[in-house]
Amino acid sequence: MKLVVDVMEAPLWLCPDHTVRMALAIMKGLCTELIAVVEGGVYLGTVDWKDLVGAKGDEPLLRVMRKDAPFISSKASIREAADT
């Protein structure tokens, strides 16, 4: 059975004190629409383009991130991830 880790690209995350400006630059450079926000190895939430558009560039991600986004372990099966 394939796991999420088997199909993942390189892990992509930022810290909650990184800025909106930094997140936008990284997302543009890597052509991604979503980034996890992690601190000390703990998943806190996500940010996507909709969260960042209109926010001040120096605003920390902690203030604009979505805390209700589901977390899927890299060790979860593809089926579990699809169900989530």
Side-chain angles (χ1 to χ4, degrees), residues 1-5 72-81:
M1 173 181 343
K2 277 196 168 190
L3 303 178
V4 170
V5 70
I72 301 170
S73 169
S74 62
K75 296 190 182 349
S77 72
I78 296 298
R79 171 55 51 204
E80 291 172 308

Side-chain angles (χ1 to χ4, degrees), residues 15-57:
C15 295
D17 59 341
H18 283 129
T19 64
V20 166
R21 183 178 296 110
M22 180 182 290
L24 285 169
I26 290 170
M27 291 168 80
K28 183 177 179 180
L30 297 175
C31 297
T32 188
E33 296 182 13
L34 179 94
I35 296 181
V37 180
V38 175
E39 184 170 48
V42 176
Y43 170 79
L44 301 177
T46 62
V47 290
D48 67 20
W49 288 102
K50 292 175 274 187
D51 302 318
L52 303 176
V53 172
K56 293 181 181 179

